[in-house]
Amino acid sequence: MRASWLNSLKGRLSLVTAAVLVIFVLFISGALEHAYRISLAEAKQRELQLHVYTLLAVAEPDGERLYFPPVLPEQRFNQPDSGLIGMVIDGSGKLIWRSASAISPRQIQLRPLPQGDQAFTQIVMPDAADGDAEGRRYSSFRQGVAWGLDNQQQFTFAVLEDAAPLRAQVAQFRSTLWRWLGFGAVLLVLVQWLVLRWGLAPLNTVARALQKMQRGGSDTLQGNFPRELQPLTDNLNLLIENERRQREKTRNTLADLAHSMKTPLAVLKGLNFSADPRTAYNNLIEQVQRMDAIVSYQLQRAVATTPKSILRGVEVAPLAQKIVAALEKVYRETPAEVSLHCPEDTLFYGDEGDLMELLGNLLDNAYKYGAGRIEAAIKNHDSDRGLHISVADNGPGISEDQWRKVTQRGVRADERQPGQGIGLAIVIDIVHSYGGDIAVAPSAMGGAEISIDLK
């Protein structure tokens, strides 16, 4: 169950976003609590400093001691165990005065400060009244002062306040913070789930379209898919269409092969070697050669209409140069001046064998029927991945009626030239399989120019 959940895009995204949300909530809560503690500490420091100033205002020197009135302006100093304690120590650290609110008989050791120095700290003060062996935590503010004409008397005024209310305030803030952050986290998780469900809905649409197609409800993926999924659905539809064409092509090729074999097989069945062995042998050789030609033709046809590739582009320039070099060797006795214009970055988005059949047949015809000059231009379209091919020669040219004839299988423009007359038919089949167009027109050199635009 866990593995299947992690195999889901929604499960993975939910897990990652939930982990990020938890980390974010922990960080934010820690940062807010820290900022709140600092703010409370600064406010408490200012409050205790004001109490020190109050004690300084009512203190009167009495020799080496200080005299304070029995009743202080701050009532909490006068109330036992009020939580607010005032103390004064001399330069040696000896306690010389403490407020009536300090009921603990034990003394706490406070370090004296030089004149003008201040210190705000947290201290633990033994409290026998509560029976607390560990003591009570206090917020302490101390300030060093000097008394006398020559500042010869050094005192440290200290005000201590029970830190329990401060800690309770922090605890209350933490509780409120976590309560609201928890509520916000739950709300964010819910919103996140809704967003993921809405955002991944197109994938479910694709899955349903595939299921509908598998059940025979449609031949292609149909639906209103978002822009990011459009290339995927288009390529899937192209793959499905190519697979359908491949099945149809295989079925047609087998049917054509079987139909073409009927006549040679019928002739072979009727051979009579006993009556005329030589004639029967010659007929046997003739029919075997015919069957071999039929098989070669059907195989070539099957290979020539390979569905176009949707995965990567084939570099055209090296392949075109290789074909020209091979044809120069074949037509060594009747060479031709070939001008090939093909940018190095030209790509053919299809099967390499289809491209070789296209260029090979077009250039081979130009060698056969041209008069020594050939111009070939190959380039990609400016707006898409299509390919433009043009091959021109300076031969006798070809009329529209001749073009219709030579594009039929087995028909050659010049019967004196060797071949089977299926080259241009193969070219047209390949062009149509790529949804392209082919046209012929007079070339600038006086011959024929065949132009192909592949989509």
Side-chain angles (χ1 to χ4, degrees):
M1 180 67 181
R2 181 181 179 184
S4 61
W5 185 70
L6 290 179
N7 253 352
S8 165
L9 285 177
K10 186 183 294 184
R12 291 184 177 184
L13 291 175
S14 298
L15 179 63
V16 171
T17 51
V20 171
L21 180 61
V22 169
I23 294 174
F24 177 76
V25 168
L26 291 175
F27 174 77
I28 288 297
S29 63
L32 291 177
E33 184 176 337
H34 179 69
Y36 186 71
R37 284 178 180 272
I38 292 177
S39 176
L40 284 182
E42 290 177 351
K44 183 57 65 178
Q45 179 179 351
R46 291 192 295 270
E47 180 184 347
L48 297 182
Q49 188 176 19
L50 289 176
H51 290 314
V52 168
Y53 291 160
T54 301
L55 294 178
L56 283 171
V58 299
E60 294 290 342
D62 183 12
E64 295 182 357
R65 300 177 62 86
L66 290 177
Y67 169 77
F68 289 88
V71 179
L72 297 173
E74 174 58 51
Q75 293 300 319
R76 294 174 63 194
F77 285 130
N78 305 319
Q79 300 172 1
D81 199 21
S82 64
L84 182 65
I85 303 173
M87 293 183 177
V88 179
I89 58 176
D90 59 15
S92 63
K94 180 181 178 182
L95 179 65
I96 61 174
W97 178 85
R98 65 179 180 178
S99 64
S101 56
I103 62 174
S104 175
R106 303 180 184 179
Q107 292 186 0
I108 185 170
Q109 298 297 325
L110 297 177
R111 186 172 60 86
L113 296 177
Q115 178 187 3
D117 285 2
Q118 297 176 347
F120 177 73
T121 58
Q122 295 281 326
I123 65 173
V124 177
M125 182 175 179
D127 195 342
D130 289 347
D132 189 354
E134 295 182 358
R136 296 167 64 180
R137 187 173 296 274
Y138 284 82
S139 299
S140 167
F141 180 81
R142 291 172 293 151
Q143 181 166 346
V145 298
W147 223 281
L149 296 177
D150 298 328
N151 294 332
Q152 71 277 13
Q153 293 178 305
Q154 300 288 331
F155 300 101
T156 298
F157 280 66
V159 175
L160 287 70
E161 187 174 18
D162 189 1
L166 190 66
R167 294 200 304 272
Q169 195 171 354
V170 172
Q172 182 180 5
F173 174 80
R174 184 189 300 115
S175 175
T176 304
L177 178 66
W178 275 104
R179 185 165 55 251
W180 283 103
L181 284 179
F183 174 76
V186 172
L187 183 62
L188 284 176
V189 168
L190 178 61
V191 172
Q192 163 196 302
W193 183 80
L194 293 175
V195 169
L196 287 177
R197 183 173 180 178
W198 175 76
L200 297 177
L203 294 179
N204 295 330
T205 304
V206 174
R208 287 193 296 270
L210 281 172
Q211 293 174 355
K212 181 179 179 182
M213 187 185 64
Q214 290 172 350
R215 290 194 296 265
S218 174
D219 293 334
T220 57
L221 293 177
Q222 297 178 356
N224 186 18
F225 304 112
R227 184 174 61 253
E228 291 79 7
L229 290 180
Q230 200 66 47
L232 172 64
T233 55
D234 289 346
N235 285 339
L236 283 175
N237 283 331
L238 180 59
L239 187 62
I240 294 167
E241 177 64 19
N242 286 339
E243 193 272 339
R244 185 187 62 80
R245 289 180 181 177
Q246 181 65 32
R247 290 200 312 269
E248 183 179 353
K249 178 198 67 175
T250 303
R251 194 164 48 244
N252 293 339
T253 301
L254 291 175
D256 292 347
L257 180 60
H259 184 271
S260 301
M261 286 293 187
K262 286 182 179 180
T263 302
L265 289 174
V267 173
L268 290 177
K269 288 180 180 179
L271 293 178
N272 189 351
F273 284 90
S274 59
D276 190 354
R278 180 175 295 278
T279 301
Y281 177 76
N282 291 335
N283 289 334
L284 174 64
I285 296 300
E286 180 183 354
Q287 296 306 317
V288 169
Q289 290 177 346
R290 183 179 177 185
M291 292 170 67
D292 180 67
I294 291 173
V295 172
S296 298
Y297 163 68
Q298 295 294 348
L299 289 177
Q300 189 174 15
R301 179 188 177 193
V303 172
T305 55
T306 302
K308 74 175 182 178
S309 169
I310 61 174
L311 301 179
R312 63 182 181 86
V314 177
E315 294 183 356
V316 179
L319 192 61
Q321 294 166 2
K322 187 185 299 184
I323 292 174
V324 171
L327 290 174
E328 286 177 351
K329 296 178 182 179
V330 174
Y331 295 95
R332 186 178 292 109
E333 297 181 358
T334 57
E337 179 185 347
V338 181
S339 177
L340 178 63
H341 303 282
C342 181
E344 293 295 329
D345 59 349
T346 304
L347 295 176
F348 170 66
Y349 292 92
D351 185 79
E352 184 175 346
D354 289 347
L355 182 60
M356 291 187 66
E357 288 290 340
L358 282 175
L359 297 179
N361 283 298
L362 291 177
L363 291 172
D364 183 65
N365 284 340
Y367 267 95
K368 286 180 181 179
Y369 304 111
R373 286 187 58 195
I374 301 172
E375 289 188 359
I378 310 171
K379 64 179 181 178
N380 288 117
H381 294 164
D382 296 334
S383 59
D384 53 30
R385 306 193 307 177
L387 188 70
H388 174 78
I389 303 173
S390 68
V391 177
D393 59 52
N394 63 339
I398 186 170
S399 66
E400 186 175 344
D401 292 337
Q402 288 177 316
W403 173 253
R404 283 197 297 267
K405 292 179 180 179
V406 298
T407 54
Q408 299 175 10
R409 294 184 181 274
V411 179
R412 300 197 301 272
D414 187 353
E415 296 294 336
R416 294 170 298 177
Q417 295 287 352
Q420 298 174 340
I422 63 172
L424 282 177
I426 292 175
V427 168
I428 291 176
D429 286 345
I430 294 174
V431 171
H432 289 169
S433 71
Y434 284 85
D437 299 313
I438 182 170
V440 64
S443 71
M445 297 181 291
E449 179 179 359
I450 297 178
S451 299
I452 294 175
D453 285 293
L454 300 179
K455 296 182 180 179

